[in-house]
Amino acid sequence: MTQMNSSTGTDRFDVVVVGGGVLGTSVAARLAATSASVCVLEAASDVCEGASKGNAGTACSYYGPPGTLETELINRSYPHWEELCGRLGVAYRRGGAIMLALDDAEAETLGHTLAELDEAGVRGEMKTPAEVAQLEPLANMATVAGLWMPDEGVIDPMALTVAYANLAVTNGAQLRLNAPVTTIRRLDDGSMELATPQGTVRGRYVVNAAGVRAGDVSELAGGEPLRSWPRKGQYAVLDRRFAEQLQRTVFCTHSPTTKGINVVPTTHGSALLGPTAQDLEDAGDTSTDRDQVEALIESARRLVPSITRDVVIKTFAANRPASEEPHRLRFDQTVANLLHVTNRSAGVSVSPAAGAYALDLLRDAGLDAEDRPDAVRALPSTPRLRTATDLNTLFAQDPLYAQVVCACESVSAAEINRALTSPVPACSLDGVRKRTGAMYGRCQGSLCAAGISFLTALHTNTGPRDVKQTAHGTVGQ
Amino acid sequence: MTARAADAAYVVVGAGPSGLGCASELLHAGPVTVIDRIPVTGGTAGWENPLIKDLTRDVVSRGAHFALGQTAVRYDGATLTVASPTGFQPVATRHLVFAGGLRPGTPADLHIDGYRPAGVVPATVAEHLLRTGVQLWTHAVILGNGPWARPVAELCRKLGTRVTVVADLADVPDWSQWADKRIDATARVRVAGRDRISGVELTTADGTTSLTSCDALVLAADPRPNRNVVGALTEDDPNVLFHQPTQPTSPRLRYDAAARATRSWLQTIGGPS
């Protein structure tokens, strides 16, 4: 049923999804639960290789003014995160967020934001500085006001994307990795033929969920020009020895041009500072630079002054798609069966509803997709050693839980083996990290990456030189 | 020698020269259990080292209990949770001595700029991978002069990999015995290359940048204490001793320094229990 990677000849599908990020996999997971046949094409050797792995991991209740499809999809998504993440075995926490105003001008802006929240039907409440300090003791004491948003949450965006992909594949979707689309040909019967290094596939409908590269895919298909460009965000990750004290997400007041630098506790117990915003030409530029990182930390210290440089354990950059049309979930204006599914920063937050919405659009356009009662809705859960309280039960489940591989983040061989054998398995050290959090801690794999590369080599039938360190490159030359 | 970890007045995590030095001193004060992740004593000094064999025999004969091949996972001030092939085990102890050794600085620790491609490898990892006997790279740049720099360089060269070390001459006076080239340490280091590393850009304090092409960057700079027992990460509990000095480096001197540090710690917490 499941066929990954190599294939020859032309295979036909009702829907071909281009892009294995959080939106592409969400759409695929929804479609796979119907009678429609689905194929996902991903350019990289793993899912979740673009903006979906490089974001702050917020699951928003509010992102922008009401009246947009984006806000509508966020409103349809956020009440259901506990249920969805429970089914998919993804870490999620509705911890709430506090947006800080540090001067009177910012306090005025917060007032406007609160009005937007009210209009959108999202819970929000203005708090005094004393109340802010109670909600988040680490927040800057010198606030003028705070906007409390209890329905803001944090999520593991990599686990979410992998879970959507696992669910899609479990329900019969085909996933082709290492399959960048090189040409798209429109056939006489209206369907499209997409050529990739992993063979050619034909789809009656094509979903363009290619993120920062959505414009390229539209162009290949002869669709409308989608003006979008990469916006680079740099981030810093804080050690859990500091970050575990942080209770809430701390947002800065939005300015008219940017949502600014935020402090976000992660579901792993670390915290993320970011993102910076730098518009680029080159979607492959994910370099970091010291000056931006220092500025980022300084901005974060306005929100949480006790942050210091020495608790930063990792910095990274990722590109999100910026556009004058920030949210695009609609059919192409010229190619009737090309459905664009792209979003600016809030891809994770809209993803549950975006899958359902895309299916509705496809059905309206004539796709025959009956919901299958036998479709799998839940994935087998993988308990985490780090958060487990009853260790003996864990050991009874799988003795490999007592083989602690990544000590900083308490990740066991049991969890790593599951990541390497799941329906969409990790195929690189980074793939293991994305699925388990191993090597994500303060030593960044100094002690465990050798062991994890041996385990990964074993499962991918490679060796110490050819084992993939990232989705794009091997350890050895 | 490997057994279930026993409750003890003192538990030492780490059975290298430092851990053995700590254990030796603690045995004057009360029962001692020594835990190590790997199934032998010696740590980075190696279990075949005759000195390690002697020191291990000595503490064993004096009653130290060893739990090797076991990992200390969590500590709550009274109980240390230890993972072993037979399961998770609570070990009651009021005093924890952490001698878990050193690790190289990470890219974030070292403020390294640029990309995160494959081929940037911590020296501790490089050492393990190279011990498989497979040539991984043609030209490795080794950044820093930590204790791993020379062993990694020697493994590389034995497998036919050219080695450039980035460290000041004063820090690696013997570099020509184990590296092909040396470049002075610089203010800034930037990694070039997207999928795999293609080179390292080194920028001096006066702003001069030079690119060194390579297919690996081995991080061997700025050794720092490795800490990973949840609940015992910071020095705010007087009943937890961290002994992870960067100096001295010889096993004998490390053992002696650990014994001295343990003696003075025992005095601060009120002597033998």
Side-chain angles (χ1 to χ4, degrees):
Chain A
M1 178 165 80
T2 305
Q3 188 181 1
M4 298 182 51
N5 293 324
S6 63
S7 180
T8 51
T10 300
D11 292 329
R12 291 156 196 263
F13 298 90
D14 292 321
V15 184
V16 175
V17 178
V18 183
V22 73
L23 288 173
T25 56
S26 171
V27 172
R30 183 65 193 89
L31 284 165
T34 72
S35 56
S37 57
V38 190
C39 176
V40 180
L41 303 176
E42 166 54 49
S45 67
D46 194 8
V47 297
C48 197
E49 273 300 310
S52 303
K53 79 167 176 179
N55 63 80
T58 50
C60 302
S61 58
Y62 162 83
Y63 198 72
T68 66
L69 179 60
E70 181 182 62
T71 297
E72 175 60 30
L73 293 178
I74 288 173
N75 281 348
R76 286 190 209 172
S77 296
Y78 79 81
H80 307 292
W81 279 119
E82 283 92 347
E83 185 271 327
L84 177 67
C85 290
R87 269 196 288 132
L88 299 185
V90 173
Y92 168 81
R93 187 159 56 86
R94 194 180 294 266
I98 188 100
M99 187 179 277
L100 300 185
L102 296 172
D103 56 37
D104 291 340
E106 287 190 351
E108 199 183 324
T109 307
L110 271 199
H112 299 310
T113 305
L114 177 60
E116 283 185 4
L117 285 167
D118 286 343
E119 204 186 326
V122 177
R123 291 199 293 165
E125 197 184 331
M126 216 52 109
K127 296 287 187 189
T128 65
E131 290 168 328
V132 169
Q134 209 166 19
L135 280 164
E136 179 46 74
L138 294 186
N140 192 340
M141 303 284 277
T143 48
V144 176
L147 174 56
W148 169 236
M149 294 181 272
D151 287 320
E152 289 291 304
V154 292
I155 194 165
D156 180 340
M158 294 173 275
L160 176 68
T161 306
V162 171
Y164 284 143
N166 278 335
L167 190 62
V169 167
T170 301
N171 279 323
Q174 190 179 105
L175 171 64
R176 293 194 189 184
L177 300 166
N178 304 301
V181 176
T182 51
T183 60
I184 301 178
R185 205 156 61 90
R186 280 149 71 190
L187 306 176
D188 292 341
D189 67 358
S191 65
M192 283 185 265
E193 192 174 86
L194 298 88
T196 79
Q198 308 301 329
T200 300
V201 295
R202 198 174 288 184
R204 291 178 52 223
Y205 297 86
V206 170
V207 171
N208 175 13
V212 290
R213 294 189 165 87
D216 300 342
V217 171
S218 187
E219 193 182 333
L220 284 177
E224 62 189 274
L226 302 183
R227 208 178 107 69
S228 71
W229 58 94
R231 179 168 291 167
K232 180 157 85 175
Q234 298 194 31
Y235 295 84
V237 183
L238 305 187
D239 194 334
R240 65 172 66 256
R241 78 171 197 262
F242 172 83
E244 277 174 351
Q245 307 167 65
L246 192 69
Q247 310 284 311
R248 319 287 180 190
T249 300
V250 186
F251 290 133
C252 65
T253 300
H254 293 172
S255 85
T257 49
T258 171
K259 300 200 188 304
I261 306 295
N262 305 303
V263 179
V264 184
T266 72
T267 54
H268 286 276
S270 57
L272 274 166
L273 314 181
T276 59
Q278 183 187 356
D279 286 347
L280 303 173
E281 297 279 309
D282 175 2
D285 178 353
T286 54
S287 62
T288 62
D289 57 276
R290 192 187 299 193
D291 301 334
Q292 288 266 326
V293 169
E294 298 299 338
L296 162 69
I297 294 166
E298 271 320 299
S299 299
R301 284 167 51 82
R302 290 181 73 237
L303 304 175
V304 177
S306 51
I307 291 169
T308 53
R309 178 63 182 78
D310 71 307
V311 296
V312 173
I313 57 172
K314 178 190 171 83
T315 60
F316 66 93
N319 295 312
R320 51 197 191 271
S323 173
E324 282 111 8
E325 186 186 3
H327 182 78
R328 195 181 287 117
L329 215 169
R330 58 169 178 80
F331 279 103
D332 190 85
Q333 284 162 10
T334 43
V335 181
N337 52 349
L338 174 64
L339 178 66
H340 300 299
V341 182
T342 62
N343 199 289
R344 49 174 176 177
S345 309
V348 167
S349 297
V350 302
S351 64
Y357 189 86
L359 175 60
D360 287 345
L361 290 180
L362 289 164
R363 279 174 171 158
D364 290 347
L367 174 71
D368 187 11
E370 296 295 317
D371 278 315
R372 286 194 291 121
D374 62 333
V376 171
R377 295 187 74 246
L379 294 169
S381 73
T382 299
R384 294 295 168 198
L385 170 60
R386 187 175 65 74
T387 49
T389 46
D390 185 356
L391 296 174
N392 292 327
T393 305
L394 216 54
F395 182 75
Q397 261 183 38
D398 185 345
L400 287 179
Y401 271 108
Q403 197 175 311
V404 182
V405 178
C406 166
C408 297
E409 297 293 301
S410 300
V411 183
S412 67
E415 292 150 84
I416 291 169
N417 277 341
R418 288 195 198 185
L420 288 162
T421 54
S422 64
V424 182
C427 61
S428 67
L429 275 73
D430 209 37
V432 170
R433 180 188 64 81
K434 289 194 297 186
R435 287 163 176 79
T436 66
M439 302 171 284
Y440 188 72
R442 67 187 68 84
C443 92
Q444 289 288 299
S446 297
L447 293 156
C448 65
I452 293 171
S453 68
F454 293 134
L455 284 172
T456 307
L458 195 69
H459 283 274
T460 54
N461 198 25
T462 52
R465 178 174 51 212
D466 303 325
V467 68
K468 280 193 157 119
Q469 188 172 357
T470 67
H472 307 277
T474 50
V475 167
Q477 176 66 311
Chain B
M1 206 159 61
T2 300
R4 287 175 69 86
D7 296 351
Y10 302 97
V11 171
V12 180
V13 176
S18 290
L20 293 173
C22 297
S24 172
E25 197 60 31
L26 292 166
L27 282 164
H28 296 303
V32 176
T33 290
V34 184
I35 296 169
D36 200 288
R37 273 170 72 89
I38 57 170
V40 289
T41 61
T44 51
W47 62 276
E48 288 173 301
N49 183 319
L51 174 69
I52 293 297
K53 287 184 176 171
D54 285 351
L55 297 174
T56 305
R57 262 195 296 272
D58 171 57
V59 290
V60 168
S61 72
R62 290 163 54 208
H65 180 89
F66 278 84
L68 301 176
Q70 308 193 20
T71 307
V73 183
R74 304 174 186 169
Y75 184 57
D76 65 5
T79 304
L80 182 71
T81 302
V82 176
S84 79
T86 58
F88 294 94
Q89 194 193 333
V91 177
T93 187
R94 302 298 302 185
H95 301 103
L96 182 66
V97 173
F98 191 77
L102 304 169
R103 61 162 177 91
T106 64
D109 293 334
L110 303 171
H111 298 229
I112 292 176
D113 287 338
Y115 288 87
R116 309 286 183 277
V120 180
V121 183
T124 37
V125 175
E127 202 174 346
H128 275 289
L129 297 178
L130 291 164
R131 283 198 197 286
T132 60
V134 177
Q135 184 190 0
L136 300 176
W137 310 303
T138 57
H139 178 204
V141 170
I142 297 180
L143 184 66
N145 68 323
W148 315 275
R150 181 171 181 164
V152 168
E154 285 172 344
L155 283 165
C156 278
R157 297 223 299 179
K158 208 166 85 186
L159 296 166
T161 301
R162 205 154 55 82
V163 170
T164 297
V165 61
V166 179
D168 290 336
L169 181 59
D171 293 328
V172 285
D174 60 350
W175 71 271
S176 62
Q177 292 169 33
W178 47 270
D180 299 282
K181 191 181 170 191
R182 187 192 64 82
I183 301 174
D184 281 339
T186 54
R188 286 188 182 226
V189 177
R190 185 176 191 280
V191 174
R194 297 191 176 187
D195 294 348
R196 278 209 92 259
I197 186 169
S198 61
V200 184
E201 284 170 28
L202 301 169
T203 305
T204 58
D206 65 14
T208 315
T209 297
S210 67
L211 174 72
T212 301
S213 297
C214 63
D215 52 19
L217 175 66
V218 176
L219 306 173
D222 196 10
R224 48 181 69 206
N226 158 51
R227 288 188 189 167
N228 50 27
V229 176
V230 176
L233 296 172
T234 52
E235 290 164 24
D236 46 12
D237 179 352
N239 291 321
V240 178
L241 170 68
F242 293 97
H243 184 75
Q244 302 168 280
T246 54
Q247 297 290 339
T249 53
S250 89
R252 176 85 243 175
L253 296 177
R254 289 179 83 78
Y255 175 88
D256 292 342
R260 275 198 306 277
T262 304
R263 206 173 310 142
S264 62
W265 174 69
L266 281 170
Q267 280 161 9
T268 64
I269 60 169
S273 60

